[in-house]
Amino acid sequence: MIISFTGAQSTGKSTLLERCREEFGDKFIYFPEITRNLKRDLGVAINEAGNDITQCLIMSEHIKNNILADHYLKSEGKDAIFDRCVLDGLVYTIWLWDEEKVSEWVVDYALKIFEELIANTDVIFYTDPADVLLVDDGERSVNIKFRNEIIAIFDGLIKQQETDRIVILSGTVEERMHTIKNTLLQKGINL
């Protein structure tokens, strides 16, 4: 099973992944966020400065993570929890396309990868942005207009997905964790 968080910047995804790691331990394989790691490792531009190369790398990392998750499930019997979903890669690519910062073929590539991988994602936890303040961590964008536009794209695409896979997380971290635990138990995962 692949479980993933998705949502705009500064909505609690990494915090929740870390809490899952603390509470569930080695019951899962955990995949950290992609974008910042690519920035750190390769020096690529992210957020509003993203480009064709950045978005192709991000989508390729989603492919890699899905292959690795399948490997761990088959070899170790462990489900995976992703800090980011392939939906995130598509959303940011669409925003960059709207701003004429990526080429049409990159949007087509991102959409194709999204269509291929989204079916493998069993649970998508969408982190409600209303409950989390936009905080500057030195890497994420703190541009409110950018964040609101990203949220609007997420909201539009979330409505197009199978609703039984999408779980909206709101409230405090504890309330969100309660929802996560209940959802995973309903999906038959022993915690």
Side-chain angles (χ1 to χ4, degrees), residues 121-136:
T121 309
D122 301 287
V123 179
I124 301 169
F125 290 114
Y126 178 60
T127 51
D128 186 349
D131 299 327
V132 184
L133 295 175
L134 182 58
V135 176
D136 187 356

Side-chain angles (χ1 to χ4, degrees), residues 1 16 45-46 50 85 93 122 125 128 134-135 173 179 184 189:
M1 182 173 285
L16 292 169
I46 63 170
C85 178
T93 303
D122 301 287
F125 290 114
D128 186 349
L134 182 58
V135 176
V173 172
T179 302
L184 297 180
I189 296 177

Side-chain angles (χ1 to χ4, degrees), residues 5-176:
F5 296 106
T6 197
Q9 66 272 31
S10 194
T11 57
K13 297 176 299 295
S14 297
T15 299
L16 292 169
L17 182 74
E18 189 54 38
R19 283 295 300 277
C20 287
R21 187 187 322 265
E22 291 169 6
E23 294 204 25
F24 307 142
D26 64 359
K27 291 182 176 145
F28 296 94
I29 299 297
Y30 303 92
F31 289 81
E33 87 134 300
I34 293 169
T35 306
R36 289 186 218 184
N37 289 336
L38 286 172
K39 178 185 177 192
R40 290 175 199 144
D41 294 346
L42 303 176
V44 296
I46 63 170
N47 300 318
E48 302 98 309
N51 55 42
D52 288 349
I53 298 299
T54 302
Q55 295 313 113
C56 286
L57 286 168
I58 288 168
M59 297 311 288
S60 295
E61 286 294 304
H62 284 296
I63 295 169
K64 182 176 112 181
N65 284 350
N66 274 261
I67 292 169
L68 287 171
D70 187 55
H71 166 76
Y72 284 118
L73 181 60
K74 289 177 181 172
S75 67
E76 298 180 27
K78 291 186 178 183
D79 296 313
I81 302 180
F82 293 172
D83 186 284
R84 301 284 190 284
C85 178
V86 68
L87 178 59
D88 293 74
L90 179 61
V91 165
Y92 284 85
T93 303
I94 289 170
W95 185 89
L96 290 163
W97 165 253
D98 289 343
E99 296 295 312
E100 300 179 358
K101 294 183 177 189
V102 296
S103 305
E104 184 175 3
W105 69 267
V106 175
V107 177
D108 292 342
Y109 173 71
L111 185 57
K112 182 64 177 166
I113 298 305
F114 170 78
E115 290 169 350
E116 291 288 324
L117 298 182
I118 198 66
N120 298 335
T121 309
D122 301 287
V123 179
I124 301 169
F125 290 114
Y126 178 60
T127 51
D128 186 349
D131 299 327
V132 184
L133 295 175
L134 182 58
V135 176
D136 187 356
D137 68 354
E139 288 185 296
R140 78 169 49 104
S141 173
V142 292
N143 178 330
I144 293 171
K145 180 179 181 289
F146 172 61
R147 184 180 195 230
N148 289 339
E149 291 170 353
I150 291 293
I151 291 167
I153 297 169
F154 266 113
D155 289 347
L157 290 175
I158 290 283
K159 290 176 185 170
Q160 297 174 22
Q161 300 307 304
E162 295 175 33
T163 55
D164 63 327
R165 284 191 299 168
I166 304 286
V167 178
I168 297 173
L169 298 176
S170 58
T172 66
V173 172
E174 292 307 320
E175 290 167 328
R176 290 173 181 222

